[in-house]
């Protein structure tokens, strides 16, 4: 398995992808987003300048620069994080930004993309973004390369893959094993392999399955029980990884809810007493 033109090429010369959006769809969604945030910045800046007309030029420039960062960098990053990779433009054309391994992006990924967008979308009117996307089979722009993301189609693309379940006999092992973070692309390749394994030549299926299992084994300790089939091991790793990430997100949500409840209590930490 090798990387070819930003895609994953398995041993039989078959390229595995996850419904990456074409450049034309990215251009349309990007134009909508740039227009939306650009108009918001210009209109809001006009109100800010009128409200701050008594300040000197240096203070006004500082305010405008700070507002530029908020509207064109922090706001898009916040929107992408809260909507799990969507924006107004992507919602209109049916796209979503995901990590290279197919997982949802976090604020760190979104911030890297929105920071790069200042140069490649706003300052150059999209010239750098379009040029970079044209040379990537996944339609990646510069911000995607920096963040390790790409735009995936959510409408008109491939149908969702059926969910995986923990293989019988690996429940105890999965509950005690340690899993390191998988490199970008490896988890996606393993998932696409399982989806296409039934239609592959048996010899190629066995070789590729063993190759992927060997790579996954480097990120798991201890390894699977002796005699575990490579495809069973692959499915067990993906399911355990999915369940653990879900558990982490649920714990974070519970902590956020607890912190919010603590802040709302008056005084802090003491529940309100009903009369």
């Amino acid at each position: 398995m090798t990387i070819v033109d930003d895609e994953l090429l398995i041993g039989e010369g078959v390229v595995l992808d996850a419904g990456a959006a074409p450049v034309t769809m990215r251009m349309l969604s990007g134009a909508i987003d740039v227009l939306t945030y650009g108009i918001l910045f210009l209109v809001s800046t006009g109100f800010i300048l009128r409200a701050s007309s008594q300040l000197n030029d240096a203070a006004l420039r500082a305010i405008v620069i700070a507002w530029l960062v908020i509207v064109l960098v922090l706001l898009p990053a916040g929107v992408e994080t809260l909507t799990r990779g969507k924006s107004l433009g992507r919602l209109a054309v049916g796209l979503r930004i995901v990590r290279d391994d197919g997982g949802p992006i976090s604020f760190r990924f979104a911030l890297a993309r929105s920071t790069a967008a200042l140069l490649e979308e706003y300052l150059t009117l999209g010239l750098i973004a379009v040029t970079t996307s044209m040379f990537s089979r996944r339609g990646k722009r510069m911000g995607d390369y920096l963040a390790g993301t790409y735009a995936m189609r959510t409408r008109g693309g491939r149908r969702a893959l059926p969910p995986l379940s923990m293989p019988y006999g690996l429940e105890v092992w999965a509950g005690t094993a340690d899993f390191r973070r998988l490199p970008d692309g490896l988890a996606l390749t393993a998932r696409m392999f399982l989806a296409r394994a039934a239609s592959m030549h048996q010899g190629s299926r066995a070789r590729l399955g063993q190759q992927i299992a060997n790579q996954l084994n480097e990120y798991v300790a201890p390894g699977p029980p002796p005699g575990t089939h490579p495809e069973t091991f692959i499915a067990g790793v993906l399911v355990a990884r999915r369940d653990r990430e879900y558990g982490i997100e649920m714990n974070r949500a519970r902590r956020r809810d607890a912190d919010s409840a603590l802040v709302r209590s008056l005084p802090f930490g003491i529940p309100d007493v009903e009369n």
Side-chain angles (χ1 to χ4, degrees), residues 16-236:
L16 301 180
D17 64 76
V23 177
T24 51
M25 295 180 67
R26 296 212 60 178
M27 289 175 59
L28 179 58
S29 68
I32 294 174
D33 290 336
V34 168
L35 185 63
T36 301
Y37 291 118
I39 292 177
L40 175 62
F41 173 73
L42 293 176
V43 172
S44 59
T45 301
F47 285 109
I48 292 176
L49 292 178
R50 284 195 292 270
S52 308
S53 57
Q54 303 301 321
L55 300 177
N56 57 44
D57 291 343
L60 287 176
R61 284 195 295 270
I63 291 175
V64 171
I65 292 174
W67 188 242
L68 173 71
V69 174
I70 292 174
V71 175
L72 300 187
V73 177
L74 297 182
L75 180 59
V79 170
E80 284 191 0
T81 303
L82 294 175
T83 60
R84 302 174 69 85
K86 290 187 177 181
S87 65
L88 182 62
R90 293 183 210 109
L91 186 64
V93 301
L95 302 180
R96 180 194 299 273
I97 299 298
V98 297
R99 302 193 309 253
D100 280 343
D101 64 357
I105 64 173
S106 62
F107 182 76
R108 174 173 61 89
F109 294 87
L111 183 60
R113 299 185 71 262
S114 61
T115 301
L118 277 179
L119 171 63
E120 59 177 334
E121 292 185 356
Y122 293 99
L123 296 182
T124 62
L125 299 179
L127 180 61
I128 294 180
V130 172
T131 303
T132 306
S133 298
M134 291 177 63
F135 288 95
S136 169
R137 291 194 178 183
R138 281 191 181 179
K140 284 190 171 192
R141 61 176 178 86
M142 186 172 66
D144 291 312
Y145 283 107
L146 293 175
T149 58
Y150 73 99
M152 180 179 69
R153 291 171 292 178
T154 58
R155 294 197 305 265
R158 299 181 179 211
R159 290 180 294 179
L161 298 175
L164 294 175
S165 58
M166 179 61 66
Y168 177 77
L170 291 186
E171 297 88 353
V172 175
W173 167 80
T176 58
D178 292 327
F179 296 86
R180 292 166 49 200
R181 185 184 184 278
L182 300 180
D184 292 339
L186 179 56
L188 177 61
T189 303
R191 185 67 182 91
M192 296 300 295
F193 164 74
L194 292 180
R196 302 182 61 175
S199 62
M200 297 177 62
H201 183 273
Q202 289 301 314
S204 301
R205 175 178 177 176
R207 287 193 299 272
L208 183 58
Q210 188 62 59
Q211 183 179 358
I212 295 175
N214 291 340
Q215 294 186 28
L216 291 176
N217 197 44
E218 298 177 5
Y219 300 90
V220 179
T228 302
H229 192 277
E231 293 181 23
T232 303
F233 171 59
I234 294 172

